[in-house]
Amino acid sequence: MDGWRTGQPWQGLRLNISYTFPVTTTARPTDLRINGARLMDRLMSLAEIGAIDGGGCARLALTDADRDGRDLVVSWMRDLGLEVTVDTVGNVVGTWSVGGGGAVMTGSHIDTVRTGGKYDGNLGVLAGLEIIQTVQESGWMPPRPLAVTFFTNEEGARYAPDMMGSLAYVGGIGVEEVLGTIGIDGSRVGDELLRIGYAGTTPCPAPAPHAFVELHIEQGPVLEKEGATIGAVTGVQGISWREVTIEGQSNHAGTTPMSMRHDPAYAASLIAVFLRDLARRYGGNQVCTVGKIDLHPNLVNVVPARAVLTLDVRNTDEGLLRRAESEITERLDALAAEEGVTITSRQLARFEPVEFGESMVTLVEATASDHGLSSMRLPSGAGHDAQMLARICPSGMVFVPSHNGISHNPAEHTDTADIVAGCDVLLQMMITLTTQETP
Ligand code: GLV
Ligand code: MN
Ligand code: MN
């Protein structure tokens, strides 16, 4: 493999590199801090690519904007002298190949939803760059490689499932299946990877890193509400995505008596109401969302012929998630009979809840405490690449607060002080992990 463990460490080094070659020291540094201004500069520069009104980003996976974002991050990887590999599903890994053995890896994604913010995913990737640069400049040589990655199509907004690249990275989906996936706009992953220049040759799945740890904004309200700076993420809730197609009888909106209608729009609305009610009945961590409804022909005076809608159903408890899924299936069958419509559905994504290892959760807490930062344990409501990496290596996540719990929205915001605190915690965790034989 031309991958990140065996290649030449300084391959791709640019001439304008601005730091001096590190001098080896043995003691593990405990007082290193990242350069917050440099991290924020990179975050704001990346946010200019695909910028949208309100301060957010639209970089759907494998679009031109995603390519431009990738190119920028890769150029930064090369500036740091990292060995850059692109695998067969477009995952990009930048490795500082010091020391020996498996890398301590961090990273996330830089694709966004169509109305994304500046921080979701991007923070985790650029934090990794900042950490590697900080360690390089410190003069301390880690005993094993440090790697930063961005995975293809984490969001799943253009191509399902979400976490597609990291799922392939750990062998959870075949490369051919990924490349053949058709998106919401009819495009094919394999064609788009070729078009944007990220159909790489490094084999996927890849060898397991020594450990993987991801910094991410919380994307929910809990840390802010509890006044904690650092989230020690205990795991990620299960996710069930389904696309439902309802076929009815298209007809004239003025002449068709209400009793004679077979209306897919009405049936779609009843499904949305049923999901809200299901979440209310289950309580706890149950959440349900109808995020997309397409009507055909989508005209003011026509009873639609067809509705296509998506259901996003999540719970931290696999048993409850299964129960919710079967209730929904029963309701769809009953609704088809009641309304005289045909309802079919297909699974777009299905991931069981994931729990991160106790030692990794404890390491987040202990590192936050060493830094004088408040922390709390919490599960993640959003899906993350770290949940896939947890299948092959010790993995964990560090959360920082999201202002008003808003995300997947241009208004997404995290205070700079919290971003820097989270990145410092990640830095120290990665240093510690390089020195642990068994994380
Ligand atoms: C990814 O952002 C997801 O949780 O949908
Ligand atoms: Mn994300
Ligand atoms: Mn997201």
Side-chain angles (χ1 to χ4, degrees), residues 234-238 316 351-356 386-388 390-391:
T234 51
V236 182
Q237 64 183 346
T316 46
F351 300 117
E352 291 190 4
V354 170
E355 283 190 21
F356 294 131
Q387 81 189 78
M388 297 306 160
R391 297 186 185 190

Side-chain angles (χ1 to χ4, degrees), residues 271-347:
I271 293 170
V273 171
F274 179 77
L275 255 63
R276 169 58 80 101
D277 186 57
L278 182 149
R280 186 192 53 72
R281 283 189 284 112
Y282 280 46
N285 288 322
Q286 182 66 56
V287 288
C288 297
T289 307
V290 173
K292 184 171 182 284
I293 304 183
D294 295 322
L295 298 177
H296 180 80
N298 208 25
L299 295 169
V300 63
N301 54 355
V302 183
V303 176
R306 186 171 65 249
V308 181
L309 63 157
T310 56
L311 317 186
D312 177 318
V313 181
R314 307 189 192 200
N315 202 311
T316 46
D317 182 308
E318 174 64 13
L320 289 174
L321 187 55
R322 284 195 192 168
R323 198 199 300 169
E325 290 175 311
S326 57
E327 269 204 49
I328 291 166
T329 303
E330 279 171 28
R331 182 66 193 122
L332 295 182
D333 290 346
L335 190 58
E338 287 161 23
E339 297 302 321
V341 294
T342 305
I343 303 184
T344 52
S345 65
R346 72 185 175 105
Q347 192 94 61

Side-chain angles (χ1 to χ4, degrees), residues 52-118:
I52 54 174
D53 285 352
C57 292
R59 290 198 306 271
L60 285 175
L62 312 185
T63 55
D64 289 358
D66 186 24
R67 176 200 56 214
D68 294 348
R70 285 166 170 260
D71 289 352
L72 181 61
V73 176
V74 166
S75 76
W76 286 331
M77 287 176 168
R78 294 201 191 285
D79 286 346
L80 297 185
L82 306 187
E83 178 195 349
V84 178
T85 60
V86 183
D87 73 20
T88 47
V89 301
N91 296 318
V92 175
V93 181
T95 305
W96 183 28
S97 299
V98 290
V104 172
M105 181 183 275
T106 189
S108 191
H109 60 99
I110 62 164
D111 68 308
T112 73
V113 296
R114 193 179 277 125
T115 52
K118 295 184 185 74

Side-chain angles (χ1 to χ4, degrees), residues 109 111-113 120-121 154-155 216 219 382-383 407-408:
H109 60 99
D111 68 308
T112 73
V113 296
D120 177 359
E154 187 273 352
E155 292 290 5
H216 207 286
Q219 308 183 271
S407 186
H408 284 185

Side-chain angles (χ1 to χ4, degrees), residues 385-398:
D385 295 307
Q387 81 189 78
M388 297 306 160
L389 271 289
R391 297 186 185 190
I392 60 168
C393 67
S395 299
M397 291 193 76
V398 179

